[in-house]
Amino acid sequence: MRALAVASVLTIAFAALIVLGAVWWSATRADTAAKDRLFQTVSFALKDAEKKIPYDQESVAYWDEAVVNTHDAFNETWVDVNLGVWMHTYFKHDRVNILDAKNRLAYAMADGEKVADPDRIPSPVIEDLAVQLRHNIAEGALDHFEAEETRIPRIQDLGIVDGRPAIVSVMPLVPHTRGVVQARGSEFLIASVRFLDESFLADLAEANLLYRVRFSRADDIKPKEQSYPLKSRAGSSIGRFVWTPKLPGTRILSEVLPVLGACLLGIGIAVVFLIRHLRRTYTELVSSEAHAKHLAFHDALTGLPNRAYFNSRLDSALDDVRNGRGQLALMFLDLDRFKQVNDTLGHAAGDVLISNLASHLSAALRPGDVLARMGGDEFAIVMRDVRGRTEVEALCRELVDIVSKPHDVGCGQAVVGLSIGIAMAPQAGTDRSELARRADIALYKAKRSGGQHFEFFTEHMSQSVQQRRDLEIDLRHALDSGHELEVVFQPVYSVGGTALTGVEALLRWNHPRAGAVSPYTFIGLAEDCGLIDRLGDLVLRRACAVAGAWDLKTISVNVSAMQLRHGTFAQRVLDLLAETGMSPKRLEIEITESTLLAGTEASSRNLKALRAAGIKVSLDDFGTGHSSLSYLMKLEVDRIKIDRSFVRHVGKIEQSDSIVQAIVTMAHAVGVSVTAEGVETREQLDFLTRIGCSDLQGYLLSPPLSALRMVELIASKGPRNEKSGTEAA
Ligand code: C2E
Ligand code: CA
Ligand code: CA
């Protein structure tokens, strides 16, 4: 932009210089031409005057009467009228002298009047010329004239007469007929003087438009004046004509320059405006470009760098690491339960939460760190120049704390958590995508550990992720074929473990190479990769189809939170029951506390619909989560299953005993049934029976059994079982 301004100014200055130069050059040319013309004019005028005087004189000098009235008998009156006054009146001769044969002054006229008693000696210039003329005559000048070879002899010069510049012309008076004769050498001479000042100058000025013309004998020419030198025939200077020339160039210059100046000024101002306008547009362009750039590299909601920008920053930070300058930590952040904020409080609240968190998180960072929003509820941080893991851990703890505080989002409070996966460079590599992959694996691990947690990448994690990927492929395959998946049933007993009243359906996966895969592994995997619905349907269908035929009061099926979130879940269950002919009253679904906690509109609608149809809902793993008794109070469940971890400590830790007892008392108080799971010892069974826990489940009574074994079991205990079932009811 600056270059453009400079270039424009230079161009204009250059153009102005050229125009001015051209104008000035042509003005000077015009002036010189005008000066030359004036000089020529003056020269011509002078030559004209010089040429004219002898012609004038000739009109009276070649005349019999002039000879008769001077040579023979000097007739002063006639001379005065015809040679003196006449010459002044008609030819403007300023002085006329008539010289006799001896060059003495016989008559003198000055300015049209006869000089009364003139000096007998003429002016030196006249006398010199007279002498020369007589010399010429003596040399035969008159003979040539009479032979008609030349005109009347004459002599002429420029000189000073009476202190004034003048043309002086001398000529002999000669008869024009043969009637009058005069001896050679005795001729009278007529001398005319035409002054070159005053009237001559006035005429010259008028005829040739000369301005302030004057005659000067001194060297006093001013710079603006022009002069014409007057020189005698002998070459001596007698002064000069001086005038002030009217210079058209200078005049044009004086007229054109202001206009030109104004034009240039106008152009200059226009250009200045143009440049300023350009500069403004340029600045706007630059800022809009910067804005566009900002938009391209920043997230619109939070104003944080986006993925593209983050990657470029990470690349340059990794360059430093590769060059041995320090280490860095790449952190991937993911909010826990953000989806629920969106689902329950609305997307606007979700946006408010994200942008609030963005500013809180960036406030916690050190100046050189970069925080970016990678999309959705995912953020990333590059910590440069990290001294060690402790520094990263400290920041992670701070970030987790910041995020897990309740946040006001306008229409309510949002509670989310934060999971962080960290990969350090150079320890975990210095290639961006590899490092990112590893941070991602660490994040995944952190998420799987239940959130609110951060994990540093380890090689082991990488392997487990690859294993998970392989496992996912295998699980899909298993679902497609259906052969590797089996539903087993774990008996549930009542009346001190004597009466078989129900079963819990548990899924088994017999992997062809890995053998039995724990449901904890593949259920989670199915949830992560979207296979849980198919898996859940398979269990429900088989449980109803197989166990529905058994003479048991309750068939329990585990349902994951994800299944329950599907709007059509309840209807699918009812359809399945109708299909298999099992009564809804015999079906119990087991959900975990987190399912209720993280419940969406859809899940609570599903639960309501299921319960309305007579299906029971039991709260699994009771005591491991928040264990709020409020579900019991609100009568949202029909049963609770005391988690194995409490049962395990029964009889060993006194506190545990009291808690279990309290839970059972409380549940019974509000009419909720209680099952204790994981009963492995006689003491546990006795204690639980003593405190009134009605239903028991565990390896002590029976491990999960295949359908076939289950059928055998029911057959062997058939009659007693039936009786117990009735007793329990
Ligand atoms: P859960 O619902 O708490 O199931 C009880 C788990 O405890 C079962 O493990 C069972 O084999 C085990 N168990 C029973 N008695 C004892 C005992 O005395 N001692 C010990 N140590 N363990 C005992 P399993 O079958 O490995 O299932 C693990 C979890 O996987 C289940 O926990 C349940 O949450 C989930 N799961 C299993 N099958 C399904 C299913 O079909 N659908 C869903 N959504 N989840 C399932
Ligand atoms: Ca269960
Ligand atoms: Ca359980």
Side-chain angles (χ1 to χ4, degrees):
M1 191 62 223
R2 181 170 297 269
L4 178 68
V6 169
S8 326
V9 168
L10 280 181
T11 308
I12 287 183
F14 188 63
L17 216 67
I18 284 180
V19 169
L20 284 177
V23 168
W24 187 82
W25 181 76
S26 52
T28 320
R29 284 281 303 239
D31 284 354
T32 313
K35 277 183 181 170
D36 287 353
R37 193 183 55 76
L38 287 174
F39 194 85
Q40 295 284 341
T41 305
V42 171
S43 166
F44 282 141
L46 189 65
K47 294 230 166 73
D48 239 29
E50 283 181 316
K51 222 184 270 172
K52 183 175 158 285
I53 292 171
Y55 276 103
D56 301 345
Q57 287 176 315
E58 227 172 21
S59 70
V60 296
Y62 186 39
W63 192 15
D64 289 355
E65 275 183 60
V67 176
V68 170
N69 286 299
T70 53
H71 187 273
D72 297 353
F74 197 83
N75 181 348
E76 197 167 9
T77 314
W78 187 93
V79 167
D80 188 34
V81 170
N82 294 290
L83 304 182
V85 175
W86 173 266
M87 298 304 276
H88 179 75
T89 315
Y90 284 88
F91 301 124
K92 285 194 172 178
H93 291 198
D94 295 304
R95 300 274 192 274
V96 171
N97 287 0
I98 303 294
L99 305 184
D100 66 10
K102 292 208 166 55
N103 287 348
R104 280 174 312 209
L105 201 57
Y107 166 85
M109 182 281 292
D111 303 323
E113 281 182 18
K114 191 183 99 176
V115 179
D117 196 7
D119 212 340
R120 297 291 283 166
I121 301 161
S123 152
V125 182
I126 296 173
E127 195 174 9
D128 280 359
L129 289 175
V131 169
Q132 278 182 41
L133 185 60
R134 284 194 196 283
H135 175 74
N136 292 351
I137 291 170
E139 295 274 294
L142 267 173
D143 299 331
H144 293 299
F145 169 65
E146 279 165 7
E148 292 184 9
E149 287 166 6
T150 61
R151 309 187 71 122
I152 302 173
R154 70 210 47 204
I155 191 150
Q156 193 177 27
D157 201 1
L158 292 182
I160 299 295
V161 176
D162 293 352
R164 298 168 66 186
I167 305 167
V168 180
S169 179
V170 183
M171 188 177 279
L173 299 177
V174 291
H176 71 286
T177 64
R178 291 185 188 274
V180 177
V181 183
Q182 61 180 348
R184 258 313 169 267
S186 67
E187 296 88 1
F188 271 59
L189 305 178
I190 179 166
S192 279
V193 172
R194 175 80 163 96
F195 286 123
L196 292 174
D197 54 358
E198 295 179 356
S199 74
F200 179 83
L201 285 184
D203 288 352
L204 194 63
E206 194 181 281
N208 299 291
L209 299 171
L210 282 186
Y211 185 60
R212 279 197 207 138
V213 64
R214 65 189 167 90
F215 174 77
S216 166
R217 296 188 70 176
D219 229 358
D220 61 350
I221 302 166
K222 296 187 191 90
K224 279 189 173 173
E225 289 178 327
Q226 193 184 357
S227 70
Y228 182 87
L230 299 177
K231 282 192 176 125
S232 72
R233 285 191 309 165
S236 60
S237 168
I238 59 164
R240 58 188 68 205
F241 290 140
V242 179
W243 67 94
T244 308
K246 284 236 163 134
L247 299 173
T250 308
R251 207 188 67 224
I252 287 173
L253 216 58
S254 69
E255 283 170 2
V256 162
L257 271 187
V259 177
L260 204 67
C263 285
L264 286 176
L265 194 73
I267 291 174
I269 289 172
V271 166
V272 166
F273 270 104
L274 197 72
I275 288 174
R276 283 180 56 173
H277 178 73
L278 274 177
R279 175 171 291 176
R280 215 177 17 246
T281 348
Y282 178 74
T283 320
E284 277 165 15
L285 205 72
V286 165
S287 73
S288 74
E289 196 183 296
H291 183 63
K293 243 185 210 161
H294 185 86
L295 283 185
F297 289 111
H298 290 81
D299 168 53
L301 175 62
T302 58
L304 290 179
N306 62 13
R307 185 185 293 273
Y309 185 45
F310 181 80
N311 283 345
S312 76
R313 293 292 298 267
L314 178 57
D315 277 336
S316 76
L318 282 171
D319 274 344
D320 285 354
V321 173
R322 273 192 289 270
N323 293 326
R325 287 195 288 275
Q327 49 179 336
L328 67 79
L330 170 63
M331 304 161 58
F332 281 168
L333 289 71
D334 191 288
L335 300 185
D336 307 328
R337 299 183 302 279
F338 176 69
K339 194 177 178 316
Q340 289 145 43
V341 174
N342 266 343
D343 288 347
T344 54
L345 297 173
H347 285 271
D351 284 355
V352 172
L353 179 65
I354 290 288
S355 62
N356 284 355
L357 286 179
S359 51
H360 289 143
L361 290 176
S362 46
L365 300 184
R366 306 169 313 166
D369 299 341
V370 183
L371 170 68
R373 184 176 178 216
M374 308 297 265
D377 60 345
E378 295 165 27
F379 295 88
I381 293 172
V382 189
M383 275 183 93
R384 302 179 74 146
D385 304 320
V386 174
R387 280 185 297 275
R389 273 173 72 132
T390 30
E391 198 181 356
V392 182
E393 283 166 5
L395 178 67
C396 286
R397 265 189 284 275
E398 194 184 341
L399 296 179
V400 170
D401 276 356
I402 288 171
V403 173
S404 53
K405 285 193 185 101
H407 296 274
D408 197 11
V409 288
C411 55
Q413 285 214 321
V415 184
V416 289
L418 179 66
S419 301
I420 306 175
I422 307 137
M424 304 277 289
Q427 296 86 335
T430 54
D431 175 71
R432 168 158 58 78
S433 53
E434 190 51 32
L435 199 67
R437 196 181 70 83
R438 294 179 167 187
D440 218 26
I441 290 170
L443 173 63
Y444 176 79
K445 182 76 197 304
K447 279 260 164 209
R448 294 233 30 102
S449 321
Q452 282 291 83
H453 183 71
F454 59 87
E455 287 280 355
F456 283 86
F457 170 82
T458 60
E459 257 328 303
H460 176 72
M461 278 181 198
S462 186
Q463 285 163 13
S464 69
V465 163
Q466 190 51 51
Q467 282 165 7
R468 271 189 81 80
R469 272 194 202 129
D470 296 344
L471 211 60
E472 182 190 328
I473 294 166
D474 294 345
L475 182 61
R476 268 177 212 283
H477 186 256
L479 260 170
D480 289 341
S481 72
H483 299 319
E484 298 162 20
L485 295 168
E486 185 194 0
V487 177
V488 294
F489 303 89
Q490 184 172 33
V492 179
Y493 291 85
S494 57
V495 199
T498 54
L500 174 63
T501 50
V503 282
E504 178 182 0
L506 295 163
L507 190 55
R508 292 287 173 265
W509 179 17
N510 299 306
H511 191 277
R513 291 183 303 278
V517 181
S518 162
Y520 289 112
T521 305
F522 71 79
I523 294 294
L525 181 68
E527 282 177 340
D528 288 345
C529 59
L531 294 172
I532 189 66
D533 290 325
R534 286 181 67 191
L535 216 59
D537 281 0
L538 182 139
V539 177
L540 256 172
R541 187 185 297 275
R542 289 201 194 165
C544 295
V546 176
W550 302 335
D551 185 16
L552 292 175
K553 195 179 158 225
T554 310
I555 316 295
S556 297
V557 177
N558 294 287
V559 170
S560 115
M562 275 194 168
Q563 287 173 271
L564 210 59
R565 262 184 230 147
H566 270 269
T568 56
F569 177 72
Q571 193 52 52
R572 272 215 318 275
V573 173
L574 294 176
D575 288 351
L576 248 159
L577 286 170
E579 212 178 281
T580 52
M582 189 178 117
S583 160
K585 289 193 170 59
R586 294 173 63 209
L587 181 63
E588 191 169 278
I589 61 161
E590 296 191 7
I591 58 173
T592 57
E593 248 180 312
S594 56
T595 308
L596 284 175
L597 255 177
T600 61
E601 284 292 295
S603 27
S604 58
R605 246 187 287 120
N606 277 326
L607 279 177
K608 259 196 204 109
L610 293 171
R611 293 188 79 198
I615 296 168
K616 304 268 180 332
V617 174
S618 119
L619 196 54
D620 208 350
D621 304 342
F622 191 84
T624 54
H626 292 264
S627 299
S628 162
L629 291 170
S630 63
Y631 306 120
L632 311 183
M633 301 301 197
K634 281 194 260 169
L635 297 175
E636 279 177 337
V637 294
D638 305 285
R639 175 188 297 275
I640 56 172
K641 295 184 79 172
I642 299 175
D643 193 65
R644 209 163 60 229
S645 56
F646 286 97
V647 176
R648 200 189 311 152
H649 296 127
V650 159
K652 290 192 187 117
I653 302 169
E654 209 175 301
Q655 220 177 2
S656 202
D657 292 2
S658 346
I659 290 173
V660 172
Q661 175 142 32
I663 292 172
V664 172
T665 312
M666 183 73 81
H668 286 167
V670 293
V672 168
S673 311
V674 179
T675 301
E677 55 180 8
V679 182
E680 292 180 348
T681 62
R682 195 74 227 176
E683 298 93 84
Q684 288 166 355
L685 184 133
D686 290 344
F687 172 78
L688 290 162
T689 309
R690 202 166 51 244
I691 62 166
C693 180
S694 50
D695 301 299
L696 305 168
Q697 184 183 358
Y699 291 168
L700 178 71
L701 296 160
S702 169
L705 304 171
S706 67
L708 206 64
R709 296 281 317 279
M710 216 35 232
V711 172
E712 288 170 13
L713 179 74
I714 294 168
S716 71
K717 299 187 177 178
R720 216 178 77 194
N721 177 42
E722 203 152 51
K723 210 165 77 202
S724 314
T726 335
E727 274 171 25

